[in-house]
Coordinates of all heavy atoms in Angstrom, one line a residue:
M1 N -6.5 -13.8 48.9 CA -6.6 -15.0 49.7 C -7.2 -14.6 51.0 O -6.7 -13.6 51.6 CB -5.3 -15.6 49.8 CG -5.3 -16.9 50.5 SD -5.6 -18.2 49.3 CE -5.2 -19.6 50.1
A2 N -8.2 -15.3 51.5 CA -8.9 -14.9 52.7 C -8.5 -16.0 53.8 O -8.2 -17.1 53.5 CB -10.4 -15.0 52.6
N3 N -8.5 -15.5 55.1 CA -8.2 -16.4 56.2 C -9.5 -17.1 56.6 O -10.6 -16.9 56.0 CB -7.5 -15.7 57.3 CG -8.4 -14.6 58.0 OD1 -9.6 -14.6 57.9 ND2 -7.8 -13.7 58.7
Q4 N -9.5 -17.8 57.7 CA -10.7 -18.6 58.1 C -11.9 -17.7 58.5 O -13.0 -18.1 58.4 CB -10.3 -19.5 59.3 CG -9.4 -20.6 58.9 CD -8.9 -21.4 60.1 OE1 -9.0 -20.9 61.2 NE2 -8.5 -22.6 59.8
C5 N -11.6 -16.5 58.9 CA -12.7 -15.6 59.3 C -13.3 -14.8 58.1 O -14.1 -14.0 58.3 CB -12.2 -14.5 60.3 SG -11.7 -15.3 61.9
G6 N -12.7 -15.1 56.9 CA -13.3 -14.4 55.7 C -12.6 -13.1 55.5 O -13.0 -12.4 54.5
I7 N -11.6 -12.7 56.3 CA -10.9 -11.4 56.0 C -9.8 -11.7 55.0 O -9.0 -12.6 55.3 CB -10.3 -10.8 57.3 CG1 -11.5 -10.5 58.3 CG2 -9.5 -9.6 57.1 CD1 -11.0 -10.1 59.7
P8 N -9.7 -10.9 54.0 CA -8.6 -11.1 53.0 C -7.2 -10.9 53.7 O -7.1 -10.3 54.7 CB -8.8 -10.0 52.0 CG -10.2 -9.6 52.1 CD -10.6 -9.9 53.6
D9 N -6.2 -11.4 53.0 CA -4.8 -11.3 53.6 C -4.4 -9.8 53.5 O -5.0 -9.0 52.9 CB -3.8 -12.2 52.9 CG -3.6 -11.8 51.4 OD1 -3.6 -10.6 51.1 OD2 -3.3 -12.7 50.6
Q10 N -3.4 -9.5 54.3 CA -3.0 -8.1 54.5 C -2.5 -7.5 53.2 O -2.8 -6.3 53.0 CB -1.8 -8.1 55.5 CG -2.3 -8.4 56.9 CD -3.3 -7.4 57.5 OE1 -3.0 -6.2 57.6 NE2 -4.5 -7.9 57.8
Q11 N -1.9 -8.2 52.3 CA -1.4 -7.6 51.1 C -2.6 -7.2 50.2 O -2.6 -6.1 49.6 CB -0.5 -8.5 50.3 CG 0.1 -7.9 49.0 CD 0.9 -6.6 49.3 OE1 1.8 -6.7 50.2 NE2 0.6 -5.5 48.7
F12 N -3.6 -8.0 50.1 CA -4.8 -7.7 49.4 C -5.5 -6.4 49.9 O -5.8 -5.5 49.2 CB -5.8 -8.9 49.4 CG -7.1 -8.5 48.7 CD1 -7.2 -8.6 47.3 CD2 -8.2 -8.1 49.4 CE1 -8.4 -8.3 46.7 CE2 -9.4 -7.8 48.8 CZ -9.5 -7.9 47.4
L13 N -5.7 -6.4 51.3 CA -6.3 -5.3 51.9 C -5.4 -4.0 51.7 O -6.0 -2.9 51.5 CB -6.4 -5.5 53.4 CG -7.6 -6.4 53.8 CD1 -7.6 -6.6 55.3 CD2 -8.9 -5.8 53.4
W14 N -4.1 -4.1 51.8 CA -3.2 -3.0 51.6 C -3.4 -2.4 50.1 O -3.5 -1.2 49.9 CB -1.8 -3.3 51.8 CG -0.8 -2.2 51.6 CD1 0.1 -2.1 50.7 CD2 -0.8 -1.0 52.4 NE1 0.8 -0.9 50.8 CE2 0.2 -0.2 51.8 CE3 -1.5 -0.5 53.5 CZ2 0.6 1.1 52.3 CZ3 -1.2 0.8 53.9 CH2 -0.2 1.6 53.4
D15 N -3.5 -3.3 49.2 CA -3.7 -2.9 47.8 C -5.0 -2.1 47.6 O -5.1 -1.1 47.0 CB -3.7 -4.1 46.8 CG -2.3 -4.7 46.7 OD1 -1.3 -4.1 47.1 OD2 -2.2 -5.9 46.3
V16 N -6.1 -2.7 48.2 CA -7.4 -2.0 48.2 C -7.3 -0.7 48.9 O -7.8 0.4 48.4 CB -8.5 -2.9 48.8 CG1 -9.8 -2.1 48.9 CG2 -8.7 -4.2 47.9
F17 N -6.7 -0.7 50.1 CA -6.6 0.5 50.9 C -5.9 1.7 50.1 O -6.3 2.8 50.1 CB -5.8 0.3 52.2 CG -5.7 1.4 53.1 CD1 -6.7 1.7 54.0 CD2 -4.6 2.3 53.1 CE1 -6.6 2.8 54.9 CE2 -4.5 3.3 53.9 CZ -5.5 3.6 54.8
Q18 N -4.8 1.3 49.4 CA -4.1 2.3 48.7 C -4.9 2.9 47.5 O -4.8 4.0 47.2 CB -2.7 1.7 48.2 CG -1.7 1.5 49.3 CD -0.4 1.1 48.7 OE1 -0.3 0.1 48.0 NE2 0.6 1.8 49.0
R19 N -5.7 2.0 46.9 CA -6.5 2.5 45.8 C -7.6 3.5 46.3 O -8.0 4.4 45.6 CB -7.2 1.4 45.0 CG -6.2 0.6 44.1 CD -7.0 -0.3 43.2 NE -7.8 -1.3 43.8 CZ -7.5 -2.5 44.1 NH1 -6.2 -2.9 43.9 NH2 -8.3 -3.3 44.6
V20 N -8.1 3.2 47.5 CA -9.2 4.1 48.1 C -8.6 5.4 48.6 O -9.2 6.5 48.5 CB -9.9 3.3 49.2 CG1 -11.0 4.2 49.9 CG2 -10.6 2.1 48.6
D21 N -7.4 5.3 49.2 CA -6.7 6.5 49.8 C -6.1 7.3 48.7 O -4.9 7.4 48.5 CB -5.6 6.0 50.8 CG -4.9 7.1 51.5 OD1 -5.4 8.2 51.6 OD2 -3.8 6.8 52.0
K22 N -7.0 8.1 48.0 CA -6.6 8.8 46.9 C -5.5 9.9 47.2 O -4.6 10.2 46.4 CB -7.8 9.5 46.2 CG -8.8 8.5 45.7 CD -8.3 7.8 44.5 CE -9.4 7.0 43.9 NZ -8.9 6.1 42.9
D23 N -5.6 10.5 48.4 CA -4.6 11.6 48.7 C -3.4 11.1 49.4 O -2.5 11.9 49.8 CB -5.3 12.7 49.5 CG -5.7 12.2 50.9 OD1 -5.5 11.0 51.3 OD2 -6.3 13.0 51.7
R24 N -3.3 9.8 49.5 CA -2.1 9.1 50.1 C -1.8 9.6 51.5 O -0.6 9.7 51.9 CB -0.8 9.3 49.2 CG -1.0 8.7 47.8 CD -1.0 7.2 47.9 NE -1.1 6.6 46.6 CZ -2.1 5.8 46.3 NH1 -3.1 5.6 47.1 NH2 -2.1 5.2 45.1
S25 N -2.8 9.9 52.3 CA -2.6 10.4 53.6 C -2.4 9.3 54.6 O -2.0 9.6 55.8 CB -3.9 11.2 54.0 OG -5.0 10.3 54.2
G26 N -2.7 8.1 54.2 CA -2.5 7.0 55.2 C -3.8 6.7 55.9 O -3.9 5.9 56.8
H27 N -4.9 7.5 55.6 CA -6.2 7.4 56.2 C -7.2 7.6 55.1 O -7.0 8.3 54.1 CB -6.4 8.4 57.3 CG -5.6 8.2 58.5 ND1 -4.3 8.6 58.6 CD2 -6.0 7.6 59.7 CE1 -3.9 8.2 59.8 NE2 -4.9 7.7 60.5
I28 N -8.4 6.9 55.3 CA -9.5 7.0 54.3 C -10.5 8.0 54.9 O -11.0 7.8 56.0 CB -10.1 5.6 54.0 CG1 -9.1 4.7 53.3 CG2 -11.3 5.8 53.2 CD1 -9.5 3.3 53.1
S29 N -10.8 9.0 54.1 CA -11.8 10.0 54.5 C -13.2 9.5 54.1 O -13.3 8.6 53.3 CB -11.5 11.3 53.9 OG -11.7 11.3 52.5
A30 N -14.2 10.2 54.6 CA -15.5 9.9 54.2 C -15.7 10.1 52.7 O -16.4 9.3 52.0 CB -16.5 10.8 55.0
D31 N -15.2 11.1 52.1 CA -15.3 11.4 50.7 C -14.6 10.2 49.9 O -15.2 9.8 48.9 CB -14.7 12.7 50.3 CG -15.5 13.9 50.8 OD1 -16.7 13.7 51.1 OD2 -14.9 15.0 50.8
E32 N -13.4 9.8 50.3 CA -12.8 8.7 49.6 C -13.6 7.4 49.7 O -13.7 6.7 48.8 CB -11.4 8.5 50.2 CG -10.4 9.6 49.9 CD -9.1 9.6 50.6 OE1 -9.1 9.1 51.8 OE2 -8.1 10.1 50.1
L33 N -14.1 7.1 50.9 CA -14.9 5.9 51.1 C -16.2 5.9 50.3 O -16.5 5.0 49.6 CB -15.2 5.7 52.6 CG -15.9 4.4 52.9 CD1 -15.1 3.2 52.5 CD2 -16.3 4.3 54.4
Q34 N -16.8 7.1 50.2 CA -18.0 7.2 49.4 C -17.8 6.9 48.0 O -18.6 6.3 47.3 CB -18.7 8.6 49.6 CG -20.0 8.7 48.9 CD -20.8 9.9 49.3 OE1 -20.2 10.9 49.7 NE2 -22.1 9.9 49.1
I35 N -16.7 7.4 47.5 CA -16.3 7.2 46.0 C -16.0 5.7 45.8 O -16.4 5.2 44.8 CB -15.1 8.1 45.6 CG1 -15.5 9.5 45.6 CG2 -14.5 7.6 44.3 CD1 -14.3 10.5 45.5
A36 N -15.4 5.1 46.8 CA -15.0 3.7 46.6 C -16.1 2.7 46.7 O -16.1 1.6 46.1 CB -13.9 3.3 47.7
L37 N -17.2 3.0 47.5 CA -18.3 2.1 47.7 C -19.3 2.2 46.6 O -19.6 3.3 46.2 CB -18.9 2.3 49.1 CG -18.0 1.9 50.2 CD1 -18.8 2.2 51.5 CD2 -17.6 0.4 50.2
S38 N -19.9 1.1 46.3 CA -21.1 1.1 45.4 C -22.2 0.4 46.1 O -22.0 -0.7 46.7 CB -20.8 0.4 44.1 OG -21.9 0.2 43.3
N39 N -23.4 0.9 46.0 CA -24.5 0.2 46.7 C -25.2 -0.8 45.7 O -26.3 -1.2 46.1 CB -25.5 1.2 47.3 CG -26.2 2.1 46.2 OD1 -26.1 1.7 45.0 ND2 -26.8 3.1 46.7
G40 N -24.6 -1.1 44.6 CA -25.2 -2.0 43.7 C -26.0 -1.4 42.6 O -26.4 -2.0 41.6
T41 N -26.3 -0.1 42.7 CA -27.1 0.6 41.7 C -26.3 1.7 41.0 O -26.8 2.5 40.3 CB -28.4 1.3 42.3 OG1 -28.0 2.2 43.3 CG2 -29.3 0.2 43.0
W42 N -25.0 1.7 41.3 CA -24.0 2.7 40.8 C -24.3 4.1 41.3 O -23.8 5.1 40.8 CB -24.0 2.7 39.3 CG -23.5 1.3 38.8 CD1 -24.3 0.3 38.2 CD2 -22.2 0.7 39.0 NE1 -23.5 -0.8 38.0 CE2 -22.2 -0.6 38.4 CE3 -21.0 1.2 39.5 CZ2 -21.1 -1.4 38.4 CZ3 -19.9 0.4 39.5 CH2 -20.0 -0.9 38.9
S43 N -25.2 4.2 42.3 CA -25.4 5.5 42.9 C -24.6 5.6 44.2 O -24.3 4.5 44.8 CB -26.9 5.8 43.2 OG -27.4 4.8 44.0
A44 N -24.3 6.7 44.7 CA -23.5 6.9 45.9 C -24.2 6.5 47.1 O -25.4 6.7 47.2 CB -23.0 8.4 46.0
F45 N -23.5 6.0 48.1 CA -24.0 5.8 49.4 C -24.4 7.2 50.0 O -23.8 8.2 49.7 CB -23.0 5.2 50.4 CG -23.0 3.7 50.4 CD1 -22.7 3.0 49.3 CD2 -23.3 3.1 51.6 CE1 -22.6 1.6 49.3 CE2 -23.2 1.7 51.7 CZ -22.9 0.9 50.5
N46 N -25.4 7.1 50.9 CA -25.8 8.3 51.6 C -24.6 8.8 52.4 O -24.0 8.0 53.1 CB -27.0 8.0 52.5 CG -27.5 9.1 53.3 OD1 -26.8 9.8 54.0 ND2 -28.8 9.4 53.1
P47 N -24.3 10.1 52.4 CA -23.2 10.6 53.2 C -23.3 10.3 54.7 O -22.3 10.1 55.4 CB -23.2 12.2 52.9 CG -23.9 12.3 51.6 CD -24.9 11.2 51.6
E48 N -24.5 10.3 55.2 CA -24.7 10.0 56.6 C -24.3 8.5 56.9 O -23.7 8.2 57.9 CB -26.1 10.3 57.1 CG -26.4 10.0 58.5 CD -25.6 10.9 59.5 OE1 -25.0 11.9 59.1 OE2 -25.6 10.5 60.7
T49 N -24.6 7.6 56.0 CA -24.3 6.2 56.1 C -22.7 6.1 56.2 O -22.2 5.4 57.0 CB -24.8 5.4 55.0 OG1 -26.3 5.5 55.0 CG2 -24.5 3.9 55.1
I50 N -22.1 6.8 55.3 CA -20.6 6.8 55.2 C -20.0 7.3 56.5 O -19.1 6.7 57.1 CB -20.1 7.6 54.0 CG1 -20.5 7.0 52.7 CG2 -18.6 7.8 54.1 CD1 -20.0 5.6 52.4
R51 N -20.6 8.4 57.0 CA -20.1 9.0 58.3 C -20.2 8.1 59.4 O -19.3 7.9 60.3 CB -20.8 10.3 58.5 CG -20.3 11.1 59.7 CD -21.1 12.3 60.1 NE -22.4 11.9 60.7 CZ -22.5 11.4 61.9 NH1 -21.5 11.2 62.7 NH2 -23.7 11.0 62.4
L52 N -21.4 7.4 59.5 CA -21.6 6.4 60.5 C -20.7 5.2 60.4 O -20.1 4.8 61.5 CB -23.1 5.9 60.5 CG -24.1 6.9 60.9 CD1 -25.5 6.4 60.6 CD2 -24.0 7.3 62.4
M53 N -20.4 4.8 59.2 CA -19.5 3.7 59.0 C -18.1 4.1 59.5 O -17.4 3.3 60.2 CB -19.4 3.2 57.6 CG -20.7 2.5 57.2 SD -20.7 2.1 55.4 CE -19.3 1.0 55.2
I54 N -17.6 5.2 59.1 CA -16.3 5.7 59.6 C -16.3 5.8 61.1 O -15.3 5.4 61.7 CB -15.9 7.0 58.9 CG1 -15.6 6.7 57.4 CG2 -14.7 7.7 59.6 CD1 -14.7 7.6 56.7
G55 N -17.3 6.4 61.7 CA -17.4 6.5 63.1 C -17.3 5.2 63.8 O -16.8 5.1 64.9
M56 N -17.9 4.1 63.2 CA -17.8 2.8 63.9 C -16.4 2.2 63.9 O -16.1 1.4 64.8 CB -18.7 1.8 63.1 CG -20.2 2.1 63.2 SD -21.2 1.1 62.1 CE -20.6 -0.5 62.2
F57 N -15.6 2.6 63.0 CA -14.2 1.9 62.9 C -13.1 2.9 63.1 O -11.9 2.5 63.1 CB -14.1 1.3 61.5 CG -15.1 0.2 61.3 CD1 -16.3 0.4 60.6 CD2 -14.9 -1.1 61.9 CE1 -17.2 -0.6 60.5 CE2 -15.8 -2.1 61.8 CZ -17.0 -1.8 61.0
D58 N -13.3 4.1 63.3 CA -12.3 5.2 63.5 C -11.8 5.2 65.0 O -12.4 5.8 65.8 CB -12.9 6.5 63.2 CG -11.9 7.7 63.5 OD1 -10.7 7.4 63.7 OD2 -12.4 8.8 63.5
R59 N -10.8 4.4 65.3 CA -10.3 4.2 66.7 C -9.6 5.5 67.2 O -9.4 5.6 68.4 CB -9.4 3.0 66.8 CG -10.2 1.7 66.6 CD -9.3 0.5 66.9 NE -9.6 -0.5 66.0 CZ -8.7 -1.5 65.7 NH1 -7.5 -1.5 66.2 NH2 -9.1 -2.4 64.8
E60 N -9.1 6.3 66.2 CA -8.4 7.5 66.6 C -9.2 8.7 66.7 O -8.7 9.8 67.0 CB -7.2 7.7 65.6 CG -6.3 6.5 65.5 CD -5.3 6.7 64.4 OE1 -5.2 7.8 63.8 OE2 -4.6 5.7 64.0
N61 N -10.5 8.6 66.4 CA -11.4 9.7 66.4 C -11.0 10.9 65.6 O -11.0 12.1 66.0 CB -11.7 10.2 67.9 CG -12.5 9.2 68.7 OD1 -13.4 8.5 68.2 ND2 -12.1 9.0 69.9
K62 N -10.5 10.6 64.4 CA -10.0 11.6 63.4 C -11.0 11.9 62.3 O -10.8 12.7 61.5 CB -8.7 11.2 62.8 CG -7.5 11.2 63.8 CD -6.3 10.8 63.0 CE -5.0 11.0 63.8 NZ -3.8 10.7 63.0
G63 N -12.1 11.1 62.3 CA -13.1 11.2 61.2 C -12.6 10.5 59.9 O -13.1 10.7 58.8
T64 N -11.6 9.6 60.1 CA -11.0 8.8 59.0 C -10.7 7.4 59.5 O -10.8 7.1 60.7 CB -9.6 9.4 58.5 OG1 -8.7 9.4 59.6 CG2 -9.8 10.8 58.0
V65 N -10.4 6.5 58.6 CA -10.1 5.1 58.9 C -8.7 4.9 58.5 O -8.3 5.1 57.4 CB -11.1 4.2 58.2 CG1 -10.7 2.7 58.5 CG2 -12.5 4.5 58.6
S66 N -7.9 4.4 59.5 CA -6.5 4.0 59.2 C -6.5 2.6 58.6 O -7.5 1.9 58.6 CB -5.7 4.0 60.5 OG -6.1 2.9 61.3
F67 N -5.3 2.2 58.1 CA -5.2 0.9 57.5 C -5.5 -0.2 58.6 O -6.1 -1.2 58.3 CB -3.8 0.6 56.9 CG -3.6 -0.8 56.4 CD1 -4.4 -1.2 55.3 CD2 -2.8 -1.7 57.1 CE1 -4.3 -2.5 54.9 CE2 -2.7 -3.0 56.6 CZ -3.4 -3.4 55.5
Q68 N -5.1 0.1 59.8 CA -5.4 -0.9 60.9 C -6.9 -1.1 61.1 O -7.3 -2.2 61.5 CB -4.7 -0.4 62.2 CG -3.2 -0.5 62.2 CD -2.5 0.5 61.4 OE1 -3.0 1.6 61.1 NE2 -1.3 0.2 60.9
D69 N -7.7 -0.1 60.9 CA -9.1 -0.2 61.0 C -9.8 -0.7 59.8 O -11.0 -1.2 59.8 CB -9.7 1.2 61.4 CG -9.1 1.8 62.6 OD1 -8.7 1.1 63.5 OD2 -9.1 3.0 62.6
F70 N -9.1 -0.7 58.7 CA -9.7 -1.0 57.4 C -10.2 -2.4 57.3 O -11.2 -2.7 56.7 CB -8.7 -0.6 56.3 CG -9.3 -0.8 54.9 CD1 -10.4 0.0 54.5 CD2 -8.8 -1.7 54.0 CE1 -10.9 -0.1 53.2 CE2 -9.3 -1.8 52.7 CZ -10.4 -1.0 52.3
G71 N -9.4 -3.4 57.9 CA -9.8 -4.8 57.8 C -11.2 -5.0 58.4 O -12.0 -5.8 57.9
A72 N -11.4 -4.4 59.6 CA -12.7 -4.5 60.3 C -13.8 -3.9 59.4 O -14.9 -4.5 59.3 CB -12.6 -3.9 61.6
L73 N -13.6 -2.8 58.8 CA -14.6 -2.1 58.0 C -14.9 -3.0 56.8 O -16.0 -3.2 56.4 CB -14.1 -0.7 57.5 CG -15.1 0.1 56.8 CD1 -14.9 1.6 57.1 CD2 -15.2 -0.1 55.3
W74 N -13.8 -3.6 56.2 CA -14.0 -4.4 55.0 C -14.8 -5.6 55.4 O -15.8 -6.0 54.6 CB -12.6 -4.9 54.5 CG -12.6 -5.8 53.4 CD1 -12.8 -7.2 53.4 CD2 -12.5 -5.5 52.0 NE1 -12.8 -7.7 52.1 CE2 -12.6 -6.6 51.2 CE3 -12.3 -4.2 51.3 CZ2 -12.6 -6.6 49.9 CZ3 -12.2 -4.3 50.0 CH2 -12.4 -5.4 49.2
K75 N -14.6 -6.3 56.5 CA -15.3 -7.4 56.9 C -16.8 -7.0 57.2 O -17.7 -7.8 56.8 CB -14.7 -8.1 58.2 CG -15.5 -9.3 58.6 CD -14.8 -10.0 59.7 CE -15.4 -11.3 60.2 NZ -16.8 -11.6 59.8
Y76 N -17.0 -5.9 57.8 CA -18.4 -5.4 58.0 C -19.2 -5.3 56.7 O -20.3 -5.8 56.6 CB -18.3 -4.1 58.8 CG -19.6 -3.4 59.0 CD1 -20.4 -3.8 60.1 CD2 -20.1 -2.4 58.2 CE1 -21.6 -3.2 60.3 CE2 -21.3 -1.8 58.4 CZ -22.1 -2.2 59.5 OH -23.3 -1.5 59.7
V77 N -18.6 -4.6 55.8 CA -19.3 -4.4 54.5 C -19.5 -5.7 53.8 O -20.6 -6.0 53.3 CB -18.5 -3.4 53.6 CG1 -19.0 -3.4 52.2 CG2 -18.5 -2.0 54.2
T78 N -18.5 -6.6 53.7 CA -18.7 -7.9 53.0 C -19.7 -8.8 53.7 O -20.4 -9.5 53.1 CB -17.4 -8.6 52.7 OG1 -16.7 -8.8 54.0 CG2 -16.5 -7.8 51.8
D79 N -19.7 -8.7 55.0 CA -20.7 -9.5 55.8 C -22.1 -9.1 55.4 O -23.0 -9.9 55.2 CB -20.5 -9.4 57.3 CG -19.3 -10.3 57.8 OD1 -18.7 -11.1 57.0 OD2 -18.9 -10.1 59.0
W80 N -22.3 -7.8 55.4 CA -23.7 -7.2 55.0 C -24.0 -7.6 53.5 O -25.1 -7.9 53.2 CB -23.7 -5.7 55.2 CG -24.2 -5.4 56.6 CD1 -23.4 -4.9 57.6 CD2 -25.4 -5.6 57.2 NE1 -24.1 -4.7 58.7 CE2 -25.4 -5.2 58.5 CE3 -26.6 -6.2 56.7 CZ2 -26.5 -5.3 59.4 CZ3 -27.7 -6.3 57.6 CH2 -27.6 -5.8 58.9
Q81 N -23.0 -7.5 52.6 CA -23.3 -7.9 51.3 C -23.7 -9.4 51.2 O -24.6 -9.7 50.5 CB -22.0 -7.7 50.4 CG -21.7 -6.3 50.1 CD -20.4 -6.2 49.3 OE1 -19.5 -6.9 49.5 NE2 -20.3 -5.2 48.4
N82 N -23.0 -10.2 51.9 CA -23.3 -11.7 51.9 C -24.7 -11.9 52.5 O -25.4 -12.8 52.0 CB -22.2 -12.5 52.6 CG -20.9 -12.5 51.9 OD1 -20.9 -12.3 50.7 ND2 -19.8 -12.6 52.6
C83 N -25.0 -11.2 53.5 CA -26.4 -11.3 54.1 C -27.4 -10.9 53.1 O -28.4 -11.6 52.9 CB -26.4 -10.5 55.4 SG -28.0 -10.6 56.2
F84 N -27.2 -9.8 52.5 CA -28.2 -9.3 51.5 C -28.4 -10.3 50.4 O -29.5 -10.7 50.0 CB -27.8 -8.0 50.9 CG -28.7 -7.4 49.9 CD1 -29.8 -6.6 50.3 CD2 -28.6 -7.7 48.6 CE1 -30.7 -6.2 49.4 CE2 -29.5 -7.2 47.6 CZ -30.5 -6.4 48.0
R85 N -27.2 -10.8 49.9 CA -27.3 -11.8 48.8 C -28.0 -13.1 49.1 O -28.7 -13.7 48.3 CB -25.9 -12.1 48.3 CG -25.3 -11.0 47.5 CD -23.9 -11.3 47.0 NE -23.3 -10.1 46.4 CZ -22.0 -9.7 46.7 NH1 -21.2 -10.4 47.5 NH2 -21.6 -8.6 46.1
S86 N -27.9 -13.5 50.4 CA -28.6 -14.7 50.8 C -30.1 -14.5 50.8 O -30.9 -15.5 50.6 CB -28.2 -15.1 52.2 OG -28.7 -14.2 53.2
F87 N -30.6 -13.3 50.9 CA -32.1 -13.0 50.8 C -32.5 -12.6 49.4 O -33.7 -12.6 49.1 CB -32.5 -12.0 51.9 CG -32.4 -12.5 53.3 CD1 -31.3 -12.2 54.1 CD2 -33.4 -13.2 53.8 CE1 -31.3 -12.6 55.4 CE2 -33.4 -13.7 55.1 CZ -32.3 -13.4 55.9
D88 N -31.6 -12.1 48.6 CA -31.9 -11.7 47.2 C -31.8 -12.9 46.3 O -30.9 -13.1 45.5 CB -30.9 -10.6 46.8 CG -31.2 -10.1 45.4 OD1 -32.3 -10.3 44.9 OD2 -30.3 -9.5 44.8
R89 N -32.8 -13.8 46.5 CA -32.8 -15.1 45.8 C -32.8 -15.0 44.3 O -32.3 -15.9 43.6 CB -33.9 -15.9 46.3 CG -33.8 -16.2 47.8 CD -34.6 -17.3 48.3 NE -34.7 -17.4 49.7 CZ -33.8 -17.9 50.5 NH1 -32.6 -18.3 50.0 NH2 -34.0 -17.9 51.8
D90 N -33.4 -13.9 43.7 CA -33.4 -13.8 42.3 C -32.3 -12.9 41.7 O -32.3 -12.6 40.5 CB -34.8 -13.3 41.8 CG -35.1 -11.9 42.3 OD1 -34.3 -11.3 43.0 OD2 -36.2 -11.5 42.0
N91 N -31.4 -12.5 42.6 CA -30.3 -11.6 42.2 C -30.7 -10.4 41.5 O -30.0 -9.9 40.6 CB -29.3 -12.4 41.3 CG -28.6 -13.5 42.0 OD1 -28.2 -13.4 43.2 ND2 -28.5 -14.7 41.4
S92 N -31.8 -9.8 41.9 CA -32.4 -8.6 41.3 C -31.7 -7.3 41.9 O -31.9 -6.3 41.3 CB -33.9 -8.5 41.5 OG -34.2 -8.4 42.9
G93 N -31.1 -7.5 43.1 CA -30.6 -6.3 43.7 C -31.6 -5.7 44.7 O -31.4 -4.6 45.3
Y94 N -32.8 -6.4 44.8 CA -33.9 -5.9 45.7 C -34.3 -7.1 46.5 O -34.3 -8.3 46.1 CB -35.0 -5.4 44.8 CG -34.7 -4.2 44.0 CD1 -34.3 -4.3 42.7 CD2 -34.8 -2.9 44.6 CE1 -33.9 -3.2 42.0 CE2 -34.5 -1.8 43.9 CZ -34.0 -1.9 42.6 OH -33.7 -0.8 41.8
L95 N -34.8 -6.8 47.7 CA -35.5 -7.8 48.5 C -37.0 -7.7 48.3 O -37.6 -6.6 48.4 CB -35.1 -7.6 50.0 CG -33.6 -7.7 50.4 CD1 -33.4 -7.5 51.8 CD2 -33.0 -9.0 49.9
T96 N -37.6 -8.8 47.9 CA -39.0 -8.8 47.7 C -39.7 -9.9 48.6 O -39.0 -10.8 49.1 CB -39.3 -9.2 46.3 OG1 -38.7 -10.4 45.9 CG2 -38.9 -8.2 45.3
I97 N -40.9 -9.6 48.9 CA -41.7 -10.5 49.8 C -42.4 -11.5 49.0 O -42.9 -11.3 48.0 CB -42.6 -9.6 50.7 CG1 -41.8 -8.7 51.5 CG2 -43.5 -10.5 51.6 CD1 -42.7 -7.7 52.4

């Protein structure tokens, strides 16, 4: 269930966070995030993209994302997905002119 801002409720986010946090450290590493994300082609995200995403949301400067930061990261990714989908009118996974 999502709130008015489109962020899922805390229990949903916690469940997702626990699935991504494979080593149960309480933080998501770049490797864990890269495994969890799909770019729509079943190929991995570029490691630099993952590093930049973690850097944007890592408030503790540990190179990882805590659960507290995860909601913002989740919203960022889903907002970009929604933006892409709004321009991918034929649902091909590509933007064409």
Side-chain angles (χ1 to χ4, degrees):
M1 186 89 168
N3 66 20
Q4 292 174 337
C5 296
I7 298 174
D9 67 32
Q10 292 295 300
Q11 186 58 53
F12 176 83
L13 283 177
W14 180 247
D15 292 345
V16 173
F17 183 87
Q18 287 186 306
R19 285 194 303 270
V20 176
D21 182 19
K22 297 290 187 190
D23 66 359
R24 299 291 182 241
S25 67
H27 288 81
I28 294 173
S29 69
D31 289 342
E32 289 169 329
L33 185 59
Q34 186 171 22
I35 291 167
L37 292 178
S38 168
N39 66 12
T41 62
W42 299 106
S43 60
F45 267 66
N46 181 301
E48 181 65 11
T49 302
I50 297 294
R51 189 189 68 73
L52 290 170
M53 287 174 64
I54 289 204
M56 289 170 45
F57 297 98
D58 176 16
R59 292 187 217 158
E60 299 171 13
N61 293 321
K62 291 182 172 184
T64 60
V65 177
S66 69
F67 177 67
Q68 288 73 27
D69 303 329
F70 186 64
L73 189 148
W74 180 274
K75 183 173 179 350
Y76 176 81
V77 170
T78 56
D79 285 351
W80 273 110
Q81 286 175 326
N82 291 334
C83 180
F84 181 87
R85 287 180 186 134
S86 73
F87 289 100
D88 181 20
R89 300 199 190 280
D90 63 359
N91 294 318
S92 66
Y94 296 94
L95 298 182
T96 54
I97 299 175

